Amino acid sequence: MLQEKVKGLYRNKPGIISFAVLAVIMLAGILAPVLAPNDPVLVTLDNRFAAPSTQFPFGTDHLGRCVLSRLMYGAIVSLGSALLVMTITITISIIIGTLSGYKGGWVDTLLMRMGDVNLAFPDLVLTLVIAGMLGPGLANIIIAMAAVQWVWYARIIRGMVLSLKERSYVLSAKVAGTPGWLIVVRHILPNIIPHVVVLVTINLGMVVLHISGLTFLGLGAQPPTPEWGAMLNDARQYLRSYPRLIMFPGTMIMLVVISFNLLGDALRDVIEFREG
Amino acid sequence: MNEQVVLDVKDLHVSLPSMRGVVGAVNGISMQITEGKVLGLVGESGCGKSITCLSLLGLTKEEGWVIAGVAKIQGKNLLTLGPEEIRKIRGKEIAIIMQNPLTAFNPLMTIEQHFLETIGSHLLLSKKEGRNLAGRYLEYTGLSQPSKLLKQYPFQLSGGMIQRVMIAIALALEPKVLIADEPTTSLDVTVQRQILCQLARLKEKVRTGILLVSHDLGVIAQMADEVAVMYCGCIVERAPVERLFNQPLHPYTKALMASKPKMQKKTLQAIGGQAPSLLNFDGGCPFFERCHEKSCCCSHYKQELVQYDDKHWVGCAKFAVKQRMLYYEPA
Amino acid sequence: MSLLKVKQISKTFKSKNFFTHKGRVVEAVKDISLSIEEGMCLGLVGESGCGKSTLGRIILGLEPPQSGQVIFQGKDFYKTTRQEKMKLRKDLQAVFQDYNSAINPKYPVKMAISEPLRNYLSLSPSEEIKRIGELLELVGLNPQDMHKYAYQFSGGQLQRVNIARALALNPKLIVLDEAVSSLDVSVQAQILNLLAELKRELNLSYLFISHDIEAVYYLADAIAVMYQGKLVEIINDISLFDQLVHPYSNKLLTSVLPSHPRFRTDSCVEFDELHAKPGNANECNYLDRCNCKEQLCFQVKPVLSKLTEGHLAACHKLKEINKA
Amino acid sequence: MGRFVARRIISLVPVLLGISLLTFVLIHLVPVDPAEVYLRLSQIPPTDEAVAVIRAEMGLNKPLHQQYFDWLWKVVHLDFGKSFVTKKPVMAELLYYFPATLNLAAASLLIVLLISIPVGVFSALYKDTAFDQICRILAFIGASMPSFWLSFVLIYILSLELNLLPAFGRGTLAHLVLPATTLALGAAAVYTRLLRTSMLENLNQNFVLYARARGLKEKLIVVRHVLKNALIPVVIAFGMTLGHMLAGSVIVENVFAWPGVGRYIVSSIFNRDYPVIQAYALFMAVVFVLLNLFADIICATLDPRIRLGGDK
């Protein structure tokens, strides 16, 4: 069964390609200290707006910093913080969502009421406001995003748990005398996690977009940290004369978001095949 | 005897593509539906009953599906008609009652809207005339207060009521043929009986020929005049209803009858194993694997119906061979 | 002493309408008492939505009742200690209707069967495999099938696996919740035969919940008829089937379709149907469908009362018949 | 219908209370003392005495629940306090900037509708044709495009290179085109996909098969049976989208120098103008909730199950 799924994924071309793209970007970010041609934050005012050359493959920005190096270091900032947001979010929401769906009780009531309030705000507004209250900074953005998003995921997971709870195999396990925690571990979580993985993959793209958007507004990573949104913000003044400065980080963000979406779709096709 | 055949199906084949090859869902079935009579089509799930119904209405036109054969209604071959011609026949000449009445109605529309759009698609009637027609047929099906009912939405009605509405819609245009595809399967037993009785009464009124599809021999025994037993996309036996129940010939028919609990404690004669896959159907006897009465010549037998006597047809090698040898054995 | 005794169980659900947020109380099971003897099969019949599955779940310990007791092997299931409950559970197993979702698709079927074994017995891996093999053979499957996954089985085979799981701990009572309802006739017969055979060989008791009276008649020794959350009639000897007297039981019986065209009846039963409308608390809940109602039926709710030994019914008319 | 609306409005009360509680709690998340921020913004040295005075003035010394009720009482009277920076009432400021944002969001919504409904319907009806494939790819890219980047691309091509449209500021209708398009494209992509999926789902419904079996004309089936049902989830989502557009305009407004709430809030965040941030959160939530209410009412007129309270 698992083998079939791996095979299915292997046959899914967009999935493979997008996975490869993400892997390359991620690797470039991790290995940036070794691979990057230049120091991403080294200001050389003599070299402002240098055209691409062997020393600066993508040229330099308004402070003479190497664009390629900044893109590479930026990968780890953008992708890494998105992954961190998701990890925090999902950990909290799996625990609370499962508890709330399986056990019910006050956890459930609290979660549902929090969800009502949370859903009354457009996501971005709440993130913006929390980040605004905490003050600019990448860490604050990460906290704000996780704080806003977990409720939504927890509610989705709760829904899945509720429907799984009524499946005959869960009832049969109960009748067979399996204790509650074991039912959750053995029958509920394994059936939820694949769907959560799909959800997370697709939404990772959105998280990358939001983080770079907030950084673009100046609320996220602070200069001189290389981050794609920040690079766009730096480049906006020079749009007329040096449009390439906009092209590089923008393309990177879009590439990452598209890849996450494609990968998520591919995973969904593979995982939800035969499960309906 | 002046029995008029209203729908004549000859050698209907439906095959559809799947991931692993071509599935022969219906493999050459022939049947005649007579005016005012009920032809019962009985078989287990997956034997191709529903696909047969849908292909007669031209509703199986999906990519890769191959439909062959002849289905004549009033001299026209249903299977070769263009989309607009077949549309005019659907609902007007051939109406259908479906298995899950609750999901068959658009939840956003009232019963009246369903009625009027059906009538309006085939007849030039004013709204008022349409409404009267609808009310009349709702009354025929045993529903009281039709005018109130017409204003209601499908979700406000119970399963039995909505199935009656479906029957009323089907019969309001006085079709030549009514296809009833498992009309009572999703209903409670008490309601099932009522619906069947009602259908039998209405049949007398409208003089329509009915193709009654069911997996339940009880429904067939109650309703049918003639029965066709279907297995793996083939008709394996065809006979008048009394005849079939008195003297089933095909091993599958016999087994099917023996496996149904009948208010007695006697051990049931279950059929071992399960129906074979219809993938790349080769035309041999589909019941071969599960048959208790098979013999050496069966494996070469090409599935086809042979005439056992006047009105009794059977698709089993045993009888085909006997007939050819002019050997007759009283059952 | 009876194996299982159910005493005056009631359960209501508060359903919340998704769109209107209007709460509604549904009385799924009302004041039900019944008992099952060892080696006996009680058939529970009724229309969909009459609460028979809820009753089954209450008996299985999956759904605590609001009031009443479930006494299994002399112990109140919902009142005993955790350990005691575990012990009781060992003798109380179930087979459900939807065979498709009864085995977790993620694991091979041996996992499903080993689940009860591991919870109660500490078998060595080889003993466990042996036992699973035996169980599969017992239900007519090949022991090699234990390595297959649910999707590799047909419906009938899956239901056999479910029965094997239910048998794993040598239980005393198995609740069969519509266990043969979604199977084809020919396969249904296989499973019914298997169940009858197992019952004889292993001296099992069943609570056979079904809407199919013919199947119930085949398997059950006693029959209980349920309508809108209440038992309307119980008869302890199913051979006295034709003595069922409650108007609803009669309606069910006359609704059974003929087994042969010569038994065809054209008597058209007039249109009526279960309508879940809130009835008057005092009237008989079968009132709107009953064709022999009288004044008393509007005022007093009939209770289940004894007609003859082993035969109870809840109807005013019958008491009069009995008195006379 | 009236009862439905009334019920729906009553059910909003706890949500609104929750919103107010959350926005109130937000200000206590602030790692620094608002009084200090106030003083710094007023260019007064934050000495201990000055801070104490301001704290007393702001009521920060009272117990928390007291502060909440005081604040709630004022909020109910539409008094959100005064901006730390301009010293003007926050409500007046928000109302001053809001029309521009609303203007932008409404224009984008119009663009979204004009694109997504026809494209969604036709790509579902002509599934897997070249048209459908192209639309799906475009929708995919559209949904993945960062709006701030898209805006630069549009500005560069349409404004700087071709000189067709003004890039910054608000004024004529031409000024509206670029920001509205930027804001709309992402949502249009999402809606096209949503409507397409919803159409396809409904095309497979049993009632469509039954409608065909009754001999209805295909056009009638598509409009009355498929599209009408397919629109319900779309309408529900539209209520949310308009809200998201009001929020999402933050970035677009900043790029295009559009004088709306979005630009105002970002500058307030940098100024740590807490009363404004708090009022913004509350204001947006209320607008969002009302928009959803509106969408629900539209759905109820479309769907009798909601209106009449049917099961399932």
Side-chain angles (χ1 to χ4, degrees):
Chain A
M1 190 138 162
L2 191 69
Q3 269 178 337
E4 271 177 44
K5 293 213 157 152
V6 173
K7 256 190 220 159
L9 193 60
Y10 186 70
R11 271 192 234 106
N12 193 316
K13 282 218 184 72
I16 295 291
I17 295 169
S18 53
F19 183 74
V21 168
L22 289 171
V24 167
I25 294 175
M26 203 65 203
L27 266 179
I30 294 169
L31 298 178
V34 186
L35 293 179
N38 296 292
D39 184 344
V41 291
L42 181 71
V43 177
T44 42
L45 290 174
D46 300 346
N47 258 334
R48 298 176 70 200
F49 305 118
S53 61
T54 42
Q55 199 201 341
F56 302 108
F58 285 4
T60 61
D61 67 2
H62 64 295
L63 295 175
R65 295 175 295 196
C66 171
V67 172
L68 178 63
S69 305
R70 286 181 71 75
L71 282 178
M72 286 173 77
Y73 278 93
I76 204 72
V77 179
S78 295
L79 278 177
S81 47
L83 284 174
L84 192 60
V85 168
M86 267 306 174
T87 317
I88 300 171
T89 309
I90 282 306
T91 315
I92 300 175
S93 45
I94 282 192
I95 294 171
I96 297 195
T98 312
L99 202 65
S100 152
Y102 194 78
K103 276 271 175 201
W106 64 268
V107 182
D108 191 32
T109 320
L110 192 67
L111 177 71
M112 292 309 283
R113 292 294 81 78
M114 281 178 72
D116 285 345
V117 174
N118 190 291
L119 288 177
F121 288 91
D123 265 9
L124 192 58
V125 169
L126 202 55
T127 316
L128 199 67
V129 167
I130 295 179
M133 289 287 182
L134 294 175
L138 191 58
N140 289 347
I141 293 267
I142 291 175
I143 294 171
M145 291 203 67
V148 171
Q149 293 197 344
W150 76 267
V151 186
W152 187 77
Y153 286 97
R155 270 173 69 131
I156 291 200
I157 290 168
R158 171 185 178 271
M160 292 182 193
V161 173
L162 279 183
S163 88
L164 282 174
K165 217 168 96 175
E166 291 305 308
R167 291 279 166 92
S168 287
Y169 58 80
V170 173
L171 295 180
S172 298
K174 276 189 196 168
V175 170
T178 310
W181 66 270
L182 197 56
I183 292 182
V184 169
V185 171
R186 193 182 281 166
H187 295 295
I188 293 193
L189 287 182
N191 283 298
I192 285 179
I193 284 170
H195 299 272
V196 172
V197 168
V198 172
L199 213 60
V200 163
T201 314
I202 292 178
N203 283 331
L204 263 172
M206 279 332 276
V207 175
V208 170
L209 256 183
H210 275 149
I211 289 179
S212 49
L214 289 167
T215 314
F216 171 77
L217 289 175
L219 292 171
Q222 297 301 304
T225 317
E227 203 272 353
W228 297 340
M231 290 173 75
L232 271 176
N233 197 11
D234 289 341
R236 60 196 284 194
Q237 282 124 302
Y238 314 104
L239 178 61
R240 186 185 289 269
S241 10
Y242 301 101
R244 72 180 145 80
L245 290 180
I246 292 278
M247 288 316 290
F248 292 126
T251 316
M252 289 311 286
I253 296 173
M254 201 168 97
L255 201 59
V256 166
V257 178
I258 289 185
S259 300
F260 273 126
N261 284 347
L262 279 177
L263 186 62
D265 278 1
L267 283 175
R268 168 154 50 204
D269 288 351
V270 172
I271 284 170
E272 292 177 5
F273 173 72
R274 207 199 296 282
E275 282 177 24
Chain B
M1 291 292 265
N2 189 14
E3 286 184 345
Q4 205 195 339
V5 173
V6 282
L7 177 66
D8 190 0
V9 180
K10 281 220 171 72
D11 207 23
L12 175 71
H13 286 263
V14 181
S15 56
L16 39 134
S18 80
M19 302 234 285
R20 274 169 287 174
V22 178
V23 175
V26 179
N27 301 303
I29 66 169
S30 304
M31 57 194 176
Q32 287 80 38
I33 294 164
T34 319
E35 188 186 84
K37 297 276 182 214
V38 178
L39 172 67
L41 188 62
V42 63
E44 293 178 287
S45 60
C47 74
K49 297 170 302 197
S50 287
I51 289 184
T52 306
C53 296
L54 292 181
S55 58
L56 290 178
L57 285 165
L59 290 173
T60 46
K61 293 259 160 58
E62 275 180 56
E63 221 173 300
W65 290 50
V66 181
I67 299 164
V70 182
K72 276 214 164 109
I73 183 163
Q74 297 183 314
K76 283 177 277 189
N77 183 358
L78 283 173
L79 305 180
T80 53
L81 288 179
E84 180 59 17
E85 290 165 290
I86 188 110
R87 180 192 73 73
K88 283 184 183 152
I89 287 181
R90 285 182 208 145
K92 179 78 181 76
E93 310 293 343
I94 308 181
I96 190 167
I97 313 171
M98 299 173 93
Q99 186 179 154
N100 295 307
L102 279 174
T103 60
F105 282 79
N106 185 340
L108 307 186
M109 286 165 54
T110 60
I111 300 301
E112 180 174 276
Q113 285 169 316
H114 282 95
F115 252 108
L116 291 182
E117 68 175 12
T118 316
I119 297 170
S121 297
H122 300 287
L123 302 176
L124 278 171
L125 282 183
S126 72
K127 258 195 172 170
K128 201 173 156 217
E129 287 169 310
R131 214 171 280 145
N132 287 340
L133 185 67
R136 201 161 65 237
Y137 272 90
L138 283 178
E139 251 169 26
Y140 290 160
T141 57
L143 291 166
S144 53
Q145 293 184 295
S147 53
K148 188 180 150 213
L149 196 76
L150 282 172
K151 296 278 172 251
Q152 285 186 302
Y153 287 94
F155 69 92
Q156 294 171 304
L157 308 183
S158 66
M161 283 163 95
I162 200 132
Q163 190 59 282
R164 279 160 201 265
V165 171
M166 214 174 201
I167 294 173
I169 290 181
L171 293 177
L173 293 169
E174 310 203 340
K176 296 274 177 300
V177 180
L178 175 68
I179 297 176
D181 184 5
E182 304 266 10
T184 56
T185 306
S186 60
L187 302 173
D188 278 320
V189 272
T190 53
V191 181
Q192 159 166 303
R193 184 65 180 257
Q194 298 163 21
I195 297 271
L196 290 177
C197 288
Q198 200 63 256
L199 196 59
R201 277 193 186 175
L202 274 169
K203 180 198 73 181
E204 295 305 315
K205 203 174 201 104
V206 186
R207 297 294 298 165
T208 174
I210 296 181
L211 174 63
L212 176 69
V213 177
S214 182
H215 69 280
D216 186 348
L217 278 170
V219 172
I220 300 295
Q222 170 72 18
M223 290 288 291
D225 297 303
E226 202 190 354
V227 188
V229 182
M230 202 163 169
Y231 185 74
C232 285
C234 305
I235 287 180
V236 296
E237 187 163 7
R238 208 173 76 206
V241 66
E242 288 267 351
R243 181 63 183 273
L244 188 88
F245 277 86
N246 286 336
Q247 189 195 6
L249 293 177
H250 196 282
Y252 175 67
T253 316
K254 286 190 227 170
L256 198 61
M257 285 181 180
S259 65
K260 187 177 157 46
K262 283 183 282 284
M263 294 313 239
Q264 48 190 245
K265 286 279 183 191
K266 230 164 59 186
T267 308
L268 301 168
Q269 300 291 314
I271 314 177
Q274 55 223 288
S277 148
L278 286 169
L279 202 68
N280 304 324
F281 180 68
D282 61 356
C285 175
F287 195 58
F288 182 70
E289 292 287 321
R290 301 171 82 183
C291 187
H292 287 303
E293 302 174 35
K294 62 184 163 216
S295 61
C296 54
C297 46
C298 287
S299 52
H300 306 293
Y301 175 65
K302 184 114 178 100
Q303 213 286 331
E304 61 179 345
L305 280 182
V306 291
Q307 196 159 19
Y308 176 75
D309 66 14
D310 184 22
K311 284 180 170 165
H312 201 153
W313 297 69
V314 59
C316 175
K318 220 165 69 177
F319 299 96
V321 172
K322 278 171 192 163
Q323 197 187 41
R324 264 173 229 145
M325 291 166 69
L326 299 173
Y327 172 72
Y328 189 88
E329 179 191 60
Chain C
M1 195 187 67
S2 313
L3 180 66
L4 174 87
K5 238 182 164 53
V6 170
K7 279 189 184 161
Q8 291 171 331
I9 276 191
S10 293
K11 169 99 193 170
T12 55
F13 287 108
K14 278 194 203 87
S15 82
K16 211 171 164 196
N17 185 308
F18 175 74
F19 292 112
T20 57
H21 298 275
K22 205 163 50 177
R24 201 177 57 180
V25 178
V26 179
E27 292 190 309
V29 168
K30 268 182 282 184
D31 198 20
I32 282 191
S33 305
L34 49 81
S35 63
I36 297 176
E37 311 297 321
E38 205 151 318
M40 180 183 111
C41 172
L42 175 68
L44 185 62
V45 291
E47 290 169 309
S48 58
C50 75
K52 52 190 193 306
S53 286
T54 309
L55 180 61
R57 283 160 157 244
I58 292 174
I59 289 171
L60 283 170
L62 297 174
E63 195 103 60
Q66 253 109 30
S67 61
Q69 293 169 292
V70 176
I71 298 168
F72 185 61
Q73 296 185 321
K75 293 193 182 81
D76 187 338
F77 193 91
Y78 286 97
K79 295 256 167 65
T80 52
T81 57
R82 235 188 151 90
Q83 286 98 337
E84 197 68 48
K85 225 184 240 179
M86 273 296 273
K87 238 189 259 165
L88 289 179
R89 218 162 229 166
K90 187 167 176 257
D91 290 329
L92 184 56
Q93 293 295 314
V95 179
F96 296 100
Q97 174 177 13
D98 47 345
Y99 50 79
N100 272 322
S101 79
I103 307 279
N104 192 336
K106 298 260 177 247
Y107 305 114
V109 300
K110 73 169 178 212
M111 271 296 282
I113 302 175
S114 72
E115 198 163 12
L117 292 175
R118 286 186 192 173
N119 288 336
Y120 287 95
L121 315 169
S122 37
L123 300 176
S124 69
S126 61
E127 281 173 333
E128 189 181 291
I129 293 290
K130 197 169 143 250
R131 176 80 180 130
I132 295 173
E134 282 168 11
L135 286 165
L136 286 175
E137 258 176 358
L138 188 63
V139 296
L141 290 174
N142 189 334
Q144 291 310 312
D145 290 343
M146 71 171 83
H147 304 293
K148 288 193 193 165
Y149 287 86
Y151 69 92
Q152 292 167 299
F153 289 96
S154 69
Q157 288 174 324
L158 268 184
Q159 205 55 304
R160 283 171 194 267
V161 174
N162 290 327
I163 293 171
R165 167 169 55 190
L167 290 174
L169 296 169
N170 294 322
K172 300 238 164 47
L173 175 68
I174 301 182
V175 175
L176 305 166
D177 188 356
E178 300 273 13
V180 296
S181 301
S182 39
L183 297 169
D184 266 324
V185 199
S186 62
V187 182
Q188 183 181 330
Q190 297 169 13
I191 301 293
L192 279 174
N193 281 342
L194 175 68
L195 288 170
E197 214 173 286
L198 290 170
K199 175 172 166 255
R200 239 182 352 257
E201 280 170 18
L202 306 173
N203 193 30
L204 290 169
S205 304
Y206 293 142
L207 173 64
F208 185 47
I209 300 172
S210 179
H211 66 274
D212 182 349
I213 301 156
E214 288 158 303
V216 167
Y217 188 87
Y218 174 70
L219 196 61
D221 305 308
I223 185 168
V225 182
M226 209 167 159
Y227 183 75
Q228 282 205 330
K230 293 197 77 167
L231 281 183
V232 295
E233 191 158 11
I234 307 180
I235 196 158
N236 275 348
D237 183 355
I238 202 149
S239 57
L240 303 176
F241 202 80
D242 46 1
Q243 290 181 16
L244 284 175
V245 281
H246 192 280
Y248 178 66
S249 317
N250 278 325
K251 170 157 259 162
L252 277 179
L253 279 184
T254 49
S255 297
V256 173
L257 291 167
S259 58
H260 191 286
R262 86 174 147 253
F263 303 129
R264 222 181 249 194
T265 46
D266 287 335
S267 68
C268 202
V269 199
E270 276 317 303
F271 172 61
D272 65 8
E273 200 170 347
L274 179 91
H275 250 301
K277 64 158 198 188
N280 186 334
N282 288 327
E283 63 188 27
C284 173
N285 64 354
Y286 187 60
L287 197 63
D288 21 327
R289 295 178 71 179
C290 189
N291 47 17
C292 56
K293 57 192 160 212
E294 55 180 43
Q295 199 54 41
L296 190 62
C297 304
F298 287 90
Q299 291 152 354
V300 185
K301 209 169 221 166
V303 289
L304 209 56
S305 47
K306 197 157 107 182
L307 283 177
T308 56
E309 195 52 50
H311 185 180
L312 297 97
C315 182
H316 293 307
K317 280 276 187 182
L318 311 174
K319 245 184 268 170
E320 286 162 28
I321 298 169
N322 210 30
K323 265 180 214 152
Chain D
M1 193 66 201
R3 281 182 56 202
F4 169 77
V5 176
R7 263 202 311 268
R8 198 58 190 70
I9 289 175
I10 291 168
S11 74
L12 285 183
V13 173
V15 173
L16 289 174
L17 273 177
I19 292 170
S20 73
L21 198 62
L22 184 60
T23 34
F24 174 75
V25 168
L26 279 177
I27 203 140
H28 292 273
L29 281 177
V30 181
V32 286
D33 189 349
E36 249 181 80
V37 176
Y38 177 80
L39 288 170
R40 215 178 305 123
L41 286 172
S42 315
Q43 321 239 300
I44 301 168
T47 56
D48 284 352
E49 300 88 74
V51 168
V53 170
I54 296 297
R55 281 187 69 88
E57 208 171 283
M58 287 178 161
L60 291 174
N61 296 329
K62 292 184 195 167
L64 216 53
H65 64 271
Q66 182 77 43
Q67 283 186 47
Y68 174 65
F69 286 118
D70 287 352
W71 176 77
L72 192 62
W73 181 250
K74 281 190 194 158
V75 165
V76 172
H77 293 86
L78 298 181
D79 174 9
F80 292 94
K82 284 180 182 149
S83 159
F84 286 180
V85 179
T86 60
K87 310 284 190 291
K88 285 186 195 151
V90 174
M91 191 64 197
E93 299 250 292
L94 274 180
L95 286 179
Y96 173 76
Y97 290 112
F98 189 61
T101 299
L102 194 62
N103 183 207
L104 181 60
S108 322
L109 192 68
L110 192 68
I111 297 175
V112 172
L113 287 173
L114 287 178
I115 296 177
S116 59
I117 291 186
V119 175
V121 168
F122 283 105
S123 58
L125 291 182
Y126 301 100
K127 185 174 172 255
D128 294 335
T129 56
F131 173 78
D132 179 39
Q133 302 280 10
I134 292 168
C135 289
R136 280 170 69 188
I137 292 171
L138 286 180
F140 209 89
I141 295 173
S144 312
M145 186 100 78
S147 63
F148 42 99
W149 186 58
L150 176 67
S151 50
F152 287 130
V153 174
L154 290 178
I155 289 175
Y156 185 74
I157 297 172
L158 295 175
S159 187
L160 297 181
E161 289 290 304
L162 301 174
N163 216 359
L164 287 176
L165 292 160
F168 305 108
R170 182 181 181 220
T172 60
L173 198 62
H175 281 97
L176 191 58
V177 176
L178 278 184
T181 313
T182 310
L183 193 53
L185 280 185
V190 173
Y191 277 90
T192 309
R193 283 176 84 172
L194 181 64
L195 185 60
R196 179 179 178 275
T197 322
S198 181
M199 286 281 290
L200 287 178
E201 224 165 72
N202 277 292
L203 272 169
N204 279 327
Q205 289 286 331
N206 206 11
F207 59 76
V208 172
L209 183 68
Y210 182 51
R212 292 213 172 104
R214 283 179 292 147
L216 267 53
K217 295 203 174 80
E218 198 60 27
K219 221 187 263 169
L220 187 73
I221 295 176
V222 167
V223 174
R224 194 186 278 177
H225 293 266
V226 183
L227 184 58
K228 206 175 159 195
N229 277 288
L231 277 178
I232 290 174
V234 178
V235 170
I236 293 178
F238 259 126
M240 298 190 119
T241 305
L242 192 55
H244 284 296
M245 283 183 163
L246 289 173
S249 63
V250 172
I251 288 171
V252 175
E253 283 177 13
N254 273 285
V255 173
F256 289 96
W258 188 264
V261 181
R263 243 165 70 104
Y264 178 54
I265 185 65
V266 171
S267 64
S268 300
I269 286 175
F270 283 115
N271 287 331
R272 307 212 151 206
D273 197 345
Y274 294 122
V276 176
I277 304 177
Q278 197 179 25
Y280 171 76
L282 193 57
F283 184 77
M284 289 306 271
V286 171
V287 170
F288 193 52
V289 165
L290 292 179
L291 284 172
N292 279 327
L293 173 69
F294 185 63
D296 277 2
I297 292 172
I298 295 180
C299 273
T301 57
L302 278 176
D303 190 342
R305 283 167 300 181
I306 303 176
R307 194 165 65 231
L308 304 171
D311 288 317
K312 284 160 216 161

